[in-house]
Amino acid sequence: MAIKENIEKLKSDLPPQVTLVAVTKTHTVERIQEAYDAGLRVFGENRVQELLEKQPFLPKDVEWHLIGHLQTNKVKYIVPFVKLIHSVDSLKLLQEIDKHAARNGRVIDCLLQIYIAKEETKFGLDLKEAEELLSSDKLTALKNVQVVGFMGMATNTANETQVRSEFKSLNEFFTNQKSKFNNLRSLSMGMTSDYKIAMEEGSTMVRLGSAVFGERR
Ligand SMILES: *Cc1c(COP(=O)(O)O)cnc(C)c1O
């Protein structure tokens, strides 16, 4: 299906409180422009290098999100323009983002990436670590970053019950923390294979690649 048709279908599927982040990894500037022309403004890349290669060739009102792992030595390249970083998993990274954001006169919104899947991965905080980080004075001291929510990826499995329970646990944590921290407003959960379940379990932001652009080659 054409990108435009995919987007029109998605727009009618997604409730107004859910933001569609179109995941552009491996897709060309031309195809991203097509999605822009069909009305999308929020795009996500998972690699800094790919983001830097595409960003200059797309309209300036695109809202760029970084959704993949971020190394501290790459922070400085994206801070001048990035709108939201979904993949923050340490205080050290927040401090680095804060430092560069201050130099750029910006405040950068970040999500804490929470580890919810039953899979081996190097990335993400567990709920206890996230809670400790949120209540730490060291975070409060940072004036140029703002933690506005959480991101989580469910296990890559056909077992819907498992996926649902992983999303549910993150939404419960989100609801709970929201009552203590006013800035929390975004819950990034759901990719092409599981966004419908994620939305039923409280997602406010879905990260869709294949559903927008078709299969990656
Ligand atoms: C690639 C990617 C997605 C989108 O994957 P699709 O299955 O194509 O929707 C979402 N989130 C992250 C972190 C990704 O790397």
Short mmCIF file of all heavy atoms in Angstrom, two decimals, residues 21-25 27 44-47 66-69 86-87 113 151-153 188 190-195 206-216, ligand 1:
data_model
loop_
_atom_site.label_atom_id
_atom_site.label_comp_id
_atom_site.label_asym_id
_atom_site.label_seq_id
_atom_site.Cartn_x
_atom_site.Cartn_y
_atom_site.Cartn_z
N VAL A 21 4.30 8.35 16.05
CA VAL A 21 5.69 8.63 15.71
C VAL A 21 6.05 7.71 14.55
O VAL A 21 6.07 6.49 14.70
CB VAL A 21 6.64 8.36 16.90
CG1 VAL A 21 8.08 8.69 16.53
CG2 VAL A 21 6.21 9.13 18.13
N ALA A 22 6.29 8.29 13.38
CA ALA A 22 6.62 7.48 12.21
C ALA A 22 8.11 7.15 12.25
O ALA A 22 8.95 8.03 12.25
CB ALA A 22 6.28 8.24 10.93
N VAL A 23 8.42 5.87 12.31
CA VAL A 23 9.81 5.42 12.47
C VAL A 23 10.45 5.29 11.10
O VAL A 23 10.04 4.48 10.27
CB VAL A 23 9.88 4.11 13.26
CG1 VAL A 23 11.32 3.61 13.34
CG2 VAL A 23 9.32 4.31 14.66
N THR A 24 11.48 6.12 10.86
CA THR A 24 12.02 6.31 9.51
C THR A 24 13.29 5.52 9.23
O THR A 24 13.88 5.66 8.16
CB THR A 24 12.32 7.81 9.29
OG1 THR A 24 13.18 8.25 10.36
CG2 THR A 24 11.05 8.63 9.33
N LYS A 25 13.74 4.70 10.18
CA LYS A 25 15.01 3.99 9.98
C LYS A 25 14.98 3.16 8.69
O LYS A 25 13.95 2.55 8.39
CB LYS A 25 15.34 3.11 11.18
CG LYS A 25 14.39 1.97 11.41
CD LYS A 25 14.77 1.21 12.69
CE LYS A 25 13.86 0.03 12.86
NZ LYS A 25 13.68 -0.36 14.25
N HIS A 27 14.58 4.15 5.78
CA HIS A 27 13.80 4.75 4.70
C HIS A 27 14.44 6.04 4.20
O HIS A 27 15.06 6.77 4.96
CB HIS A 27 12.35 4.98 5.16
CG HIS A 27 11.67 3.71 5.53
ND1 HIS A 27 11.42 2.71 4.62
CD2 HIS A 27 11.26 3.23 6.72
CE1 HIS A 27 10.85 1.67 5.23
NE2 HIS A 27 10.75 1.96 6.51
N GLY A 44 10.64 9.45 14.04
CA GLY A 44 11.61 8.89 14.98
C GLY A 44 12.67 8.07 14.27
O GLY A 44 12.37 7.30 13.35
N GLU A 45 13.92 8.26 14.69
CA GLU A 45 15.04 7.46 14.18
C GLU A 45 15.66 6.72 15.34
O GLU A 45 15.66 7.21 16.47
CB GLU A 45 16.12 8.37 13.57
CG GLU A 45 15.97 8.61 12.08
CD GLU A 45 16.24 7.38 11.20
OE1 GLU A 45 16.89 6.42 11.68
OE2 GLU A 45 15.79 7.40 10.04
N ASN A 46 16.21 5.56 15.10
CA ASN A 46 16.84 4.89 16.23
C ASN A 46 18.36 5.02 16.25
O ASN A 46 18.98 4.70 17.26
CB ASN A 46 16.36 3.44 16.42
CG ASN A 46 16.93 2.51 15.39
OD1 ASN A 46 17.19 2.93 14.27
ND2 ASN A 46 17.13 1.26 15.76
N ARG A 47 18.95 5.54 15.18
CA ARG A 47 20.39 5.77 15.19
C ARG A 47 20.73 7.24 14.94
O ARG A 47 20.21 7.85 14.01
CB ARG A 47 21.07 4.95 14.09
CG ARG A 47 21.03 3.48 14.32
CD ARG A 47 22.35 2.84 13.89
NE ARG A 47 22.24 1.40 13.99
CZ ARG A 47 22.00 0.61 12.94
NH1 ARG A 47 21.88 1.14 11.73
NH2 ARG A 47 21.90 -0.68 13.10
N LEU A 66 14.45 10.77 19.00
CA LEU A 66 15.40 9.68 18.97
C LEU A 66 14.80 8.54 19.80
O LEU A 66 14.44 8.73 20.96
CB LEU A 66 16.76 10.08 19.55
CG LEU A 66 17.77 8.94 19.36
CD1 LEU A 66 18.32 8.92 17.94
CD2 LEU A 66 18.90 9.00 20.36
N ILE A 67 14.67 7.37 19.16
CA ILE A 67 14.00 6.26 19.85
C ILE A 67 14.94 5.12 20.21
O ILE A 67 14.57 4.20 20.93
CB ILE A 67 12.82 5.71 18.99
CG1 ILE A 67 13.34 5.18 17.65
CG2 ILE A 67 11.78 6.79 18.76
CD1 ILE A 67 12.28 4.43 16.85
N GLY A 68 16.17 5.17 19.70
CA GLY A 68 17.12 4.08 19.96
C GLY A 68 18.19 4.49 20.94
O GLY A 68 18.26 5.65 21.38
N HIS A 69 19.05 3.55 21.28
CA HIS A 69 20.07 3.78 22.29
C HIS A 69 20.96 4.98 21.94
O HIS A 69 21.36 5.15 20.80
CB HIS A 69 20.93 2.53 22.43
CG HIS A 69 21.96 2.66 23.51
ND1 HIS A 69 21.60 2.82 24.84
CD2 HIS A 69 23.30 2.71 23.47
CE1 HIS A 69 22.70 2.94 25.56
NE2 HIS A 69 23.75 2.87 24.76
N HIS A 86 13.50 9.14 23.55
CA HIS A 86 12.71 8.08 24.19
C HIS A 86 13.53 7.10 25.01
O HIS A 86 12.97 6.25 25.68
CB HIS A 86 12.00 7.22 23.12
CG HIS A 86 10.91 7.90 22.36
ND1 HIS A 86 9.67 7.35 22.19
CD2 HIS A 86 10.88 9.08 21.69
CE1 HIS A 86 8.91 8.14 21.44
NE2 HIS A 86 9.63 9.21 21.12
N SER A 87 14.86 7.15 24.85
CA SER A 87 15.69 6.01 25.24
C SER A 87 16.71 6.34 26.31
O SER A 87 17.83 5.88 26.26
CB SER A 87 16.40 5.52 23.98
OG SER A 87 16.89 6.64 23.24
N GLN A 113 13.67 4.90 29.45
CA GLN A 113 13.38 3.60 28.84
C GLN A 113 13.35 2.54 29.94
O GLN A 113 14.30 2.37 30.70
CB GLN A 113 14.43 3.25 27.78
CG GLN A 113 14.11 1.92 27.11
CD GLN A 113 14.97 1.61 25.91
OE1 GLN A 113 15.73 2.47 25.43
NE2 GLN A 113 14.88 0.39 25.42
N MET A 151 9.25 4.94 28.18
CA MET A 151 9.15 4.14 26.96
C MET A 151 9.43 2.69 27.31
O MET A 151 10.29 2.41 28.15
CB MET A 151 10.16 4.65 25.94
CG MET A 151 10.08 3.96 24.58
SD MET A 151 11.09 2.48 24.42
CE MET A 151 12.42 3.15 23.43
N GLY A 152 8.67 1.79 26.71
CA GLY A 152 8.94 0.38 26.95
C GLY A 152 8.67 -0.45 25.71
O GLY A 152 7.78 -0.11 24.92
N MET A 153 9.46 -1.51 25.56
CA MET A 153 9.25 -2.44 24.45
C MET A 153 8.89 -3.81 25.01
O MET A 153 9.60 -4.34 25.87
CB MET A 153 10.52 -2.55 23.61
CG MET A 153 10.65 -1.39 22.64
SD MET A 153 11.98 -1.67 21.46
CE MET A 153 13.31 -0.90 22.35
N SER A 188 5.31 5.94 25.88
CA SER A 188 5.63 5.47 24.53
C SER A 188 5.68 3.94 24.53
O SER A 188 6.64 3.34 25.01
CB SER A 188 6.99 6.07 24.12
OG SER A 188 7.50 5.46 22.96
N GLY A 190 4.40 0.50 21.98
CA GLY A 190 3.72 -0.06 20.82
C GLY A 190 4.44 0.18 19.52
O GLY A 190 4.83 1.32 19.22
N MET A 191 4.68 -0.91 18.78
CA MET A 191 5.26 -0.87 17.45
C MET A 191 4.24 -1.53 16.50
O MET A 191 3.13 -1.86 16.93
CB MET A 191 6.60 -1.62 17.42
CG MET A 191 7.37 -1.41 18.70
SD MET A 191 9.13 -1.81 18.79
CE MET A 191 9.47 -2.88 17.45
N THR A 192 4.61 -1.72 15.24
CA THR A 192 3.63 -2.22 14.27
C THR A 192 2.95 -3.51 14.75
O THR A 192 1.73 -3.66 14.63
CB THR A 192 4.31 -2.44 12.91
OG1 THR A 192 4.77 -1.17 12.44
CG2 THR A 192 3.34 -3.04 11.89
N SER A 193 3.72 -4.41 15.34
CA SER A 193 3.16 -5.72 15.70
C SER A 193 2.26 -5.68 16.94
O SER A 193 1.45 -6.57 17.13
CB SER A 193 4.28 -6.71 15.93
OG SER A 193 5.11 -6.24 16.97
N ASP A 194 2.43 -4.66 17.79
CA ASP A 194 1.70 -4.71 19.06
C ASP A 194 1.05 -3.40 19.50
O ASP A 194 0.63 -3.26 20.64
CB ASP A 194 2.65 -5.25 20.16
CG ASP A 194 3.91 -4.40 20.34
OD1 ASP A 194 3.93 -3.26 19.88
OD2 ASP A 194 4.89 -4.91 20.93
N TYR A 195 0.94 -2.43 18.58
CA TYR A 195 0.44 -1.11 19.03
C TYR A 195 -1.03 -1.13 19.44
O TYR A 195 -1.45 -0.32 20.26
CB TYR A 195 0.72 -0.02 17.98
CG TYR A 195 -0.15 -0.04 16.75
CD1 TYR A 195 -1.28 0.77 16.65
CD2 TYR A 195 0.16 -0.87 15.67
CE1 TYR A 195 -2.07 0.76 15.51
CE2 TYR A 195 -0.63 -0.89 14.53
CZ TYR A 195 -1.75 -0.07 14.46
OH TYR A 195 -2.54 -0.08 13.33
N VAL A 206 2.69 5.85 19.89
CA VAL A 206 3.06 4.59 19.24
C VAL A 206 4.16 4.87 18.22
O VAL A 206 4.14 5.89 17.53
CB VAL A 206 1.85 3.88 18.59
CG1 VAL A 206 0.90 3.37 19.68
CG2 VAL A 206 1.11 4.78 17.62
N ARG A 207 5.13 3.98 18.16
CA ARG A 207 6.27 4.15 17.26
C ARG A 207 6.13 3.16 16.11
O ARG A 207 6.39 1.98 16.25
CB ARG A 207 7.59 3.91 18.02
CG ARG A 207 7.73 4.72 19.31
CD ARG A 207 9.03 4.36 20.04
NE ARG A 207 9.19 2.93 20.16
CZ ARG A 207 8.66 2.17 21.13
NH1 ARG A 207 7.93 2.72 22.09
NH2 ARG A 207 8.86 0.87 21.15
N LEU A 208 5.68 3.66 14.95
CA LEU A 208 5.34 2.76 13.86
C LEU A 208 6.23 2.97 12.64
O LEU A 208 6.28 4.06 12.08
CB LEU A 208 3.87 2.94 13.46
CG LEU A 208 2.84 2.78 14.59
CD1 LEU A 208 1.43 2.96 14.05
CD2 LEU A 208 2.98 1.43 15.29
N GLY A 209 6.92 1.91 12.24
CA GLY A 209 7.74 1.93 11.03
C GLY A 209 7.00 1.25 9.89
O GLY A 209 6.47 1.90 8.98
N SER A 210 6.95 -0.08 9.95
CA SER A 210 6.33 -0.85 8.87
C SER A 210 4.89 -0.45 8.58
O SER A 210 4.47 -0.43 7.42
CB SER A 210 6.37 -2.34 9.20
OG SER A 210 7.59 -2.67 9.79
N ALA A 211 4.13 -0.13 9.60
CA ALA A 211 2.72 0.23 9.39
C ALA A 211 2.58 1.50 8.55
O ALA A 211 1.57 1.71 7.88
CB ALA A 211 2.01 0.41 10.73
N VAL A 212 3.62 2.36 8.56
CA VAL A 212 3.58 3.60 7.79
C VAL A 212 4.25 3.41 6.42
O VAL A 212 3.70 3.78 5.38
CB VAL A 212 4.29 4.75 8.55
CG1 VAL A 212 4.40 6.00 7.67
CG2 VAL A 212 3.55 5.06 9.85
N PHE A 213 5.47 2.84 6.46
CA PHE A 213 6.30 2.82 5.24
C PHE A 213 6.32 1.47 4.52
O PHE A 213 6.92 1.34 3.47
CB PHE A 213 7.75 3.20 5.60
CG PHE A 213 7.89 4.60 6.10
CD1 PHE A 213 8.06 4.87 7.45
CD2 PHE A 213 7.85 5.68 5.22
CE1 PHE A 213 8.19 6.18 7.92
CE2 PHE A 213 7.98 6.98 5.66
CZ PHE A 213 8.16 7.23 7.03
N GLY A 214 5.70 0.45 5.11
CA GLY A 214 5.81 -0.89 4.55
C GLY A 214 7.04 -1.58 5.14
O GLY A 214 7.79 -0.98 5.92
N GLU A 215 7.22 -2.82 4.76
CA GLU A 215 8.34 -3.62 5.29
C GLU A 215 9.68 -2.96 5.00
O GLU A 215 9.87 -2.39 3.93
CB GLU A 215 8.33 -5.01 4.65
CG GLU A 215 7.17 -5.90 5.08
CD GLU A 215 7.21 -6.21 6.57
OE1 GLU A 215 8.30 -6.59 7.05
OE2 GLU A 215 6.17 -6.06 7.23
N ARG A 216 10.60 -3.08 5.98
CA ARG A 216 11.97 -2.60 5.74
C ARG A 216 12.73 -3.62 4.90
O ARG A 216 12.58 -4.81 5.09
CB ARG A 216 12.72 -2.41 7.06
CG ARG A 216 12.37 -1.13 7.77
CD ARG A 216 13.19 -0.96 9.03
NE ARG A 216 12.84 -1.93 10.04
CZ ARG A 216 11.79 -1.83 10.87
NH1 ARG A 216 10.98 -0.79 10.78
NH2 ARG A 216 11.55 -2.75 11.76
C1 LIG B 1 12.26 0.03 14.49
C2 LIG B 1 11.68 0.49 15.75
C3 LIG B 1 10.28 0.67 15.88
C4 LIG B 1 9.29 0.43 14.76
O1 LIG B 1 9.25 -0.87 14.34
P1 LIG B 1 8.08 -1.40 13.36
O2 LIG B 1 7.95 -2.83 13.71
O3 LIG B 1 8.57 -1.19 11.97
O4 LIG B 1 6.86 -0.62 13.64
C5 LIG B 1 9.80 1.14 17.10
N1 LIG B 1 10.61 1.39 18.15
C6 LIG B 1 11.95 1.22 18.06
C7 LIG B 1 12.78 1.51 19.26
C8 LIG B 1 12.52 0.76 16.87
O5 LIG B 1 13.85 0.61 16.80
#
